[in-house]
Amino acid sequence: MSTSPNPLLSRDFERLTPYTPGEQPRIADLLKLNTNENPYGPSPAVIEAIRRAADDSLRLYPDPASSRLREAIARRHGLDPSMVFIGNGSDEILAHAFRAFFVQDRPLLHPDITYSFYPVYCAFFGIDAVRMPLGPDFGIRLADYERENGGIVFANPNAPTGIALPVAQVEALLRVNRDSVVLVDEAYVDFGGESAVALVRQHPNLLVVQTLSKSRSLAGLRVGFAIGDPGLVSALETVKSSFNSYPIDRLAQAAALAAIEDEAWLEDTRQRVIAARESLAGALRELDFEVLPSAANFLFVRHRDVPGVELFDGLRQAGILVRRFDLPRIDQFLRISIGTPAQCERLRHTLASLLGRDG
């Protein structure tokens, strides 16, 4: 059987290794704790905004700049709208940023254990990258990044570990790294991390990326945003308009605006997730799990005696999905999204049964 490249494909296409998203099966009574979705729905104001926007205006193209949404995000952070960029989920913004800032003669630096889309983008855009090892405690050691580079990217809180860096450490890195873009991916920051947004005025090479998928329960609409110096935002606009001038549709813009404006809903639901996370962490420690400190809406855990793959398979047979990464250093860990208290109790009870403990 021939193994030669398909002549219909672009040159070097075979080099691409796509990102593998979390499983999205359709199984009755399935408990999905594998993709870090919010267990609570979006604000009722979001649903109403979508209803209002679903009218005859859908025949018209959406605002390519998402102007009202940019203004609302800028107002929330006390910034000018020229410092805000809107994208079709934070993944799209990350892709635009990799293209705009990191195709350099010097290597991009990112953690070796982190969001697995980073190396995918590096391969896609032909970016040379150096993976910086996490410390023995699985924390990012920013001192290691104080070296020549063509850019730095890391998630804070990190994924899949959930461990957060104090913003003071991020600022210390920015003080010594002024000649390349530092991108801080804050997808989970609302669940206990410290945002670096307050640093963007003092550091024109800082880009902060956030998403409405997690804390605002809009994973199904795909809206994210970046905050940074107007020069960085302008570069992102150039890349966006070279690819797709209308990435955010009318319904998504209306929903995202309502979500940003409903601070009370955000605060209530995020506090419920945080409380469930801490309760579940304590319960898992009682079952002899090592639980990494998390500032995200998930826990990264491994049992002290039972292999991770055995627990992963046992949970799946019981109708509970979690995430496991078959990678060095973390192959024994399970990443568990935080559900409602009842869902967390179902998980705890099932794990206790798998471990032969009183459930």
Side-chain angles (χ1 to χ4, degrees):
M1 181 176 180
S2 174
T3 59
S4 59
N6 186 337
L8 301 179
L9 301 178
S10 295
R11 185 179 63 251
D12 297 332
F13 181 87
E14 287 81 5
R15 293 185 183 182
L16 297 182
T17 302
Y19 172 76
T20 303
E23 186 179 1
Q24 297 278 9
R26 298 179 179 179
I27 302 173
D29 196 33
L30 179 73
L31 176 52
K32 278 186 81 281
L33 300 178
N34 66 325
T35 50
N36 301 339
E37 293 150 327
N38 198 313
Y40 304 105
S43 160
V46 168
I47 307 303
E48 180 56 31
I50 292 174
R51 289 196 182 101
R52 291 197 304 269
D55 58 18
D56 183 66
S57 67
L58 291 179
R59 64 188 175 82
L60 304 173
Y61 284 109
D63 173 10
S66 301
S67 301
R68 293 183 62 200
L69 181 56
R70 290 177 72 174
E71 291 165 1
I73 293 171
R75 188 163 54 247
R76 183 174 188 266
H77 294 283
L79 300 171
D80 190 87
S82 65
M83 302 178 75
V84 179
F85 175 83
I86 307 297
N88 190 327
S90 60
D91 286 339
E92 181 186 75
I93 297 173
L94 290 170
H96 291 343
F98 273 62
R99 180 62 185 88
F101 310 122
F102 299 147
V103 182
Q104 303 280 352
D105 294 330
R106 298 168 296 167
L108 173 69
L109 308 181
H110 67 76
D112 64 337
I113 299 172
T114 191
Y115 186 31
S116 54
F117 232 138
Y118 301 160
V120 170
Y121 288 140
C122 288
F124 188 80
F125 293 115
I127 297 169
D128 182 28
V130 177
R131 302 187 186 192
M132 312 300 290
L134 297 184
D137 62 352
F138 293 98
I140 296 174
R141 302 179 294 195
L142 287 184
D144 293 348
Y145 293 74
E146 296 176 13
R147 51 176 284 183
E148 185 176 12
N149 65 80
I152 296 171
V153 58
F154 56 89
N156 192 33
N158 195 19
T161 67
I163 297 175
L165 288 165
V167 72
Q169 291 187 26
V170 178
E171 186 171 23
L173 174 67
L174 289 163
R175 284 197 295 266
V176 299
N177 191 89
R178 300 178 182 274
D179 298 327
S180 65
V181 170
V182 176
L183 191 160
V184 183
D185 181 354
E186 295 186 345
Y188 302 100
V189 73
D190 289 325
F191 298 105
E194 289 184 274
S195 178
V197 167
L199 305 178
V200 294
R201 287 191 184 279
Q202 292 76 39
H203 299 279
N205 64 324
L206 170 64
L207 187 73
V208 179
V209 177
Q210 294 189 12
T211 177
L212 276 66
S213 295
K214 312 300 183 183
S215 60
R216 291 178 177 81
S217 306
L218 292 182
L221 276 184
R222 316 306 302 128
V223 181
F225 61 91
I227 293 178
D229 182 82
L232 299 185
V233 170
S234 177
L236 292 174
E237 292 285 353
T238 296
V239 174
K240 179 204 79 171
S241 296
S242 300
F243 179 72
N244 181 3
S245 295
Y246 301 100
I248 312 300
D249 63 54
R250 285 177 170 270
L251 301 185
Q253 288 186 37
L257 178 61
I260 289 293
E261 292 180 338
D262 195 344
E263 291 279 354
W265 185 266
L266 168 66
E267 185 62 20
D268 175 61
T269 54
R270 80 180 191 94
Q271 289 297 342
R272 282 195 271 172
V273 170
I274 291 171
R277 180 189 71 208
E278 296 308 302
S279 177
L280 179 60
L284 293 179
R285 290 189 183 100
E286 291 181 359
L287 293 174
D288 295 327
F289 279 89
E290 176 189 359
V291 182
L292 298 190
S294 176
N297 68 335
F298 58 83
L299 293 173
F300 205 49
V301 308
R302 64 180 167 187
H303 198 266
R304 301 187 187 280
D305 300 311
V306 182
V309 66
E310 183 177 325
L311 293 173
F312 176 86
D313 291 341
L315 287 171
R316 183 178 179 80
Q317 291 175 12
I320 301 176
L321 289 186
V322 297
R323 194 84 189 264
R324 177 179 169 271
F325 302 89
D326 194 14
L327 297 170
R329 294 185 67 190
I330 61 171
D331 58 332
Q332 298 304 318
F333 280 87
L334 303 177
R335 194 195 68 189
I336 303 171
S337 304
I338 302 303
T340 64
Q343 291 170 338
C344 290
E345 172 56 24
R346 176 180 167 185
L347 170 77
R348 185 209 65 79
H349 178 85
T350 302
L351 284 171
S353 297
L354 291 173
L355 294 169
R357 304 277 289 269
D358 182 9

